[in-house]
Amino acid sequence: MIVKLNDVRIFFPGNSNKYTEAVREFGNLLGDSIHIQNLQTPESDSIKRSQERIDKATEAISILKDVEPIEDFESKEEILHWSARSPEMVIRNILSAQALHDKILNELNLMIEHKAWYTRWRTAVGKYDAEKLAKLGVYMKFYTSDKETLNKIPEDKIVYVQNAGKGLYLVILLSCDSEDKLDDLIEDQPPKFTLEYVDKYIIRKKRQLNSSNEVLSALTEKIDLLKAYRTEHEDFLLERNALFGMEQLFDNVPYMKCYVSDAHLKDVKKIANKYSLGISIMSVEGDDEDAPTLLKNPKWVNRVKPVMNFMGLVHGYHELDLSRVFMIFFTFFTGILVGDAGYGLIFLLLSLFAHSKFKFKPSIEFSLVYTLSVSIMVWGILTGTYFGSPEIAELPGLSHLVIDKIASFGGDNIMVQKVMFIIGAVHLTIGHLQKAWHFINSRRAIGQIGWVAIVWSLYIVVCLMVLKIPAPNYTKWMFIGGISAVGLFSHSGGNFFKGIISSLGDLPLSIVNGFSDIISYIRLYAVGLSTVLMAQSFNEMAIGDGLSSVGAYILAIFVLLGGHALNMILAGMAVIVHGVRLNMLEYASHAGVDFSGSQYVPFKFKNKKSNI
């Protein structure tokens, strides 16, 4: 349900110190009850500084989360003593320690590459030695080659060749001519440092790297301090944005624009009276495009929030709330699109395992995955689908649970497709009925009932054209009645005859779209069938006519695990692509919802005792 809001303007005359106190009280006491809409872009040095501190604190916390803690070490207390006297100092030392760590690591990796060169060439001779030889008139160059290219080396060249294995050959060219070279081979430049220097450098850098790791490990004890510090500045930034987002009335009275529900108007008035603030209250009108959308739904409906947030779907304030139907049908569609009880069980077990890592703390995301997993299992049981194996569905106790008409193996494909079209017609019908209820006190409600008749007429036409099911005699009358109702009653206000002409002018394209929308629901059947067929194909690839050796068993296991894992990933992608699409486009368009709203953001401080 979309909560009705009031457009509240709060005026701040008098002493500016009162502004801050009042705004803090709004954030501390009202919490989720108020949404503040900035009237101008908030700008100030304090906002910039606070944002910079939040960013640095966030970066420091992110660094500490990736640090592998080191058990007790001698310098720990000393590090904490000189580098953790304040949150700012902690952040500064974390960022500098991480920067130094990265610099040391890059230098160490470079020296390790030099060491690898010497190891590969099995020599201590490098660029330094080659330069000393060059001063004596002997030039040394290093090359790598394969066996075929090796044969292209001219016979008059003085070379030393050694086999490095795996088809690689190392070639040293010796010459009295500095310009002499081997054109067909790849030159392998030696390190500019000697092997002795490289070994000492690696030891020194590893020691330095260990020291920087100790600093970061010691400072992990301050992660809670940094989180509290970040929270304080986030609250301060929230407060500053509210204060500097105000506009001036008559050049001397700042005012703030808020959105508040009826249930919390009394609290806003109480704070306004406490600080002698002016207040204006208006119900949100139809032309207010800034009004945010606050949804209040049961817990089972809120499970669909992660999907809607992922897709960036926000209901418009004046639109219908589709959350309930979205959740029900998305769950149903997921079951059909994946449709394998074995896959559903794996999804459920993986979710339980992941949730256990969070000590089974309540989470909308996990509740959603549990619901979808059960839906997949139920549809898989009803269709007799277990890892694409018909033999499992025939086991005692499972075979009696299968509905023969919609079974994946041996079912009636025509019936299954008809069921998908019925689901589509029901889904679209619900959208029009919701819209009719929205216009219950208007003649436009009759127009939506007319659309229900058109939807079911189109369903009959789809069954006739796709499934060759004869259309009943009343179809044309239902279609004509629906068109008449839409033409006469779909328009709102204005000239009656112009409204009819406008409605009838848009109707042909709308009917074509409605026809294609119903056909779109065949994707449920097609994608679900492809999941079953892919699973069956991987089973055939792995087992075929039987397994006759240990190697065949091992190969079969890899094929089964890899194949079914890939199939589950593709099925999961299909849920996002098709399950969401049918709700977001087909159903939502028939319900007249564009998801054109903005999110309700409560003005709520995280730390009510901020000292900033």
Side-chain angles (χ1 to χ4, degrees):
M1 178 182 72
I2 296 176
V3 178
K4 297 297 181 183
L5 300 176
N6 296 282
D7 182 345
V8 178
R9 310 294 171 101
I10 301 173
F11 302 89
F12 292 78
N15 191 343
S16 61
N17 292 331
K18 195 182 297 183
Y19 306 171
T20 303
E21 294 177 16
V23 168
R24 284 182 180 173
E25 192 148 347
F26 282 132
N28 285 329
L29 298 183
L30 294 182
D32 297 335
S33 311
I34 184 171
H35 169 103
I36 295 179
Q37 185 79 40
N38 288 332
L39 296 169
Q40 63 180 359
T41 303
E43 293 181 352
S44 76
D45 292 338
S46 61
I47 288 176
K48 292 178 182 177
R49 286 195 300 271
S50 194
Q51 186 62 61
E52 288 172 359
R53 289 167 181 164
I54 291 169
D55 293 340
K56 287 183 178 179
T58 300
E59 185 181 354
I61 292 168
S62 177
I63 290 170
L64 293 183
K65 284 182 177 179
D66 293 333
V67 172
E68 292 186 12
I70 302 173
E71 297 300 326
D72 292 336
F73 50 93
E74 294 182 3
S75 59
K76 183 175 182 179
E77 294 301 323
E78 182 182 352
I79 292 170
L80 290 174
H81 175 72
W82 62 259
S83 66
R85 297 178 183 177
S86 68
E88 290 83 359
M89 183 178 285
V90 172
I91 291 170
R92 187 164 56 249
N93 285 304
I94 290 171
L95 298 181
S96 61
Q98 182 63 37
L100 180 61
H101 176 278
D102 293 341
K103 181 175 179 291
I104 295 169
L105 189 60
N106 289 334
E107 294 171 346
L108 177 60
N109 288 335
L110 179 61
M111 287 300 163
I112 290 173
E113 289 179 10
H114 291 343
K115 176 72 173 179
W117 189 94
Y118 283 112
T119 303
R120 183 169 68 250
W121 280 87
R122 302 170 193 166
T123 181
V125 177
K127 189 173 184 178
Y128 177 77
D129 302 289
E131 289 173 350
K132 288 177 66 176
L133 280 174
K135 292 177 181 180
L136 299 174
V138 179
Y139 299 94
M140 177 186 295
K141 294 183 179 179
F142 301 84
Y143 295 89
T144 60
S145 172
D146 55 31
K147 189 172 183 179
E148 183 179 347
T149 309
L150 200 64
N151 297 326
K152 297 180 180 180
I153 299 175
E155 294 182 359
D156 61 336
K157 302 291 185 182
I158 301 174
V159 296
Y160 171 73
V161 181
Q162 60 175 320
N163 189 347
K166 297 183 179 179
L168 178 67
Y169 292 86
L170 306 175
V171 180
I172 297 176
L173 170 67
L174 296 174
S175 176
C176 295
D177 182 2
S178 63
E179 300 297 325
D180 202 4
K181 59 182 178 179
L182 301 176
D183 292 324
D184 295 319
L185 278 65
I186 301 172
E187 189 168 359
D188 191 6
Q189 290 288 350
K192 63 179 180 179
F193 305 109
T194 64
L195 178 60
E196 181 182 4
Y197 178 86
V198 168
D199 286 335
K200 290 181 179 179
Y201 197 92
I202 288 175
I203 293 171
R204 184 165 70 252
K205 289 301 171 183
K206 283 185 176 179
R207 191 182 302 121
Q208 292 175 354
L209 193 65
N210 185 60
S211 297
S212 68
N213 284 334
E214 287 181 351
V215 172
L216 291 172
S217 180
L219 292 176
T220 54
E221 293 191 1
K222 300 297 180 180
I223 194 167
D224 289 336
L225 173 70
L226 298 186
K227 288 180 179 178
Y229 173 83
R230 181 176 63 179
T231 296
E232 286 191 4
H233 278 283
E234 286 173 341
D235 289 346
F236 180 74
L237 184 63
L238 194 66
E239 171 197 300
R240 295 287 101 179
N241 282 331
L243 289 170
F244 286 90
M246 296 183 189
E247 280 189 348
Q248 297 282 334
L249 184 67
F250 306 125
D251 296 328
N252 57 4
V253 179
Y255 74 97
M256 174 190 296
K257 181 179 180 180
C258 314
Y259 290 96
V260 184
S261 64
D262 290 338
H264 297 98
L265 277 177
K266 182 173 68 175
D267 299 323
V268 175
K269 291 177 182 178
K270 186 176 180 181
I271 296 175
N273 290 334
K274 177 179 177 181
Y275 292 95
S276 302
L277 305 178
I279 187 169
S280 164
I281 302 173
M282 300 174 289
S283 60
V284 174
E285 301 297 334
D287 57 351
D288 189 342
E289 297 179 356
D290 294 330
T293 304
L294 174 62
L295 293 176
K296 187 176 181 181
N297 285 313
K299 288 183 178 180
W300 69 268
V301 177
N302 287 334
R303 292 178 185 179
V304 81
K305 271 187 177 181
V307 178
M308 303 192 79
N309 292 340
F310 176 75
M311 299 301 298
L313 303 178
V314 181
H315 293 82
Y317 178 78
H318 299 285
E319 292 180 341
L320 296 169
D321 178 13
L322 306 185
S323 302
R324 285 176 168 80
V325 178
F326 198 117
M327 178 62 197
I328 293 170
F329 277 87
F330 180 70
T331 303
F332 189 33
F333 293 160
T334 300
I336 298 173
L337 289 166
V338 181
D340 190 300
Y343 291 176
L345 180 61
I346 289 177
F347 288 138
L348 182 62
L349 294 176
L350 289 175
S351 302
L352 286 168
F353 174 75
H355 202 177
S356 68
K357 296 297 182 180
F358 294 91
K359 299 181 180 179
F360 292 102
K361 293 180 180 178
S363 170
I364 294 177
E365 290 78 8
F366 284 113
S367 298
L368 174 65
V369 177
Y370 292 148
T371 304
L372 299 181
S373 299
V374 171
S375 174
I376 294 168
M377 291 173 64
V378 169
W379 187 262
I381 291 170
L382 295 179
T383 58
T385 313
Y386 303 86
F387 300 107
S389 173
E391 290 79 12
I392 298 178
E394 293 172 0
L395 293 174
L398 296 179
S399 59
H400 298 297
L401 301 176
V402 179
I403 299 176
D404 294 334
K405 287 285 187 181
I406 62 171
S408 296
F409 305 101
D412 186 344
N413 289 333
I414 299 297
M415 174 58 72
V416 176
Q417 293 177 66
K418 184 178 180 181
V419 169
M420 299 304 124
F421 291 140
I422 290 174
I423 291 171
V426 170
H427 200 199
L428 302 183
T429 296
I430 291 173
H432 287 292
L433 290 177
Q434 285 179 292
K435 201 171 179 181
W437 181 257
H438 186 65
F439 296 126
I440 192 64
N441 294 321
S442 165
R443 63 188 180 194
R444 295 175 68 182
I446 302 175
Q448 293 305 310
I449 300 300
W451 262 114
V452 171
I454 291 175
V455 165
W456 284 98
S457 301
L458 292 174
Y459 158 75
I460 295 172
V461 173
V462 168
C463 288
L464 173 64
M465 296 180 66
V466 178
L467 306 178
K468 309 303 180 186
I469 298 176
N473 294 330
Y474 58 79
T475 304
K476 63 180 180 180
W477 298 112
M478 186 165 63
F479 193 64
I480 292 171
I483 290 176
S484 301
V486 170
L488 291 171
F489 302 108
S490 285
H491 54 92
S492 59
N495 186 285
F496 182 74
F497 294 103
K498 284 185 178 179
I500 293 175
I501 294 172
S502 176
S503 298
L504 292 177
D506 295 336
L507 196 55
L509 183 59
S510 298
I511 290 174
V512 171
N513 289 336
F515 178 81
S516 64
D517 287 343
I518 293 176
I519 287 184
S520 291
Y521 286 81
I522 197 66
R523 70 182 68 233
L524 296 171
Y525 164 75
V527 175
L529 180 62
S530 68
T531 303
V532 175
L533 293 178
M534 280 192 68
Q536 198 174 16
S537 297
F538 284 122
N539 293 341
E540 284 292 323
M541 289 170 59
I543 302 174
D545 297 327
L547 304 174
S548 57
S549 64
V550 175
Y553 276 99
I554 295 174
L555 180 61
I557 291 172
F558 277 109
V559 171
L560 287 173
L561 290 176
H564 284 292
L566 174 62
N567 202 21
M568 282 189 280
I569 292 172
L570 293 175
M573 292 172 62
V575 170
I576 298 298
V577 174
H578 303 294
V580 173
R581 179 219 158 91
L582 290 172
N583 277 291
M584 188 176 75
L585 295 181
E586 277 80 358
Y587 161 64
S589 65
H590 283 257
V593 174
D594 298 323
F595 297 105
S596 57
S598 59
Q599 197 72 47
Y600 180 94
V601 181
F603 184 75
K604 182 178 182 181
F605 291 156
K606 296 177 183 177
N607 181 8
K608 295 187 177 182
K609 297 180 180 179
S610 176
N611 295 318
I612 296 179

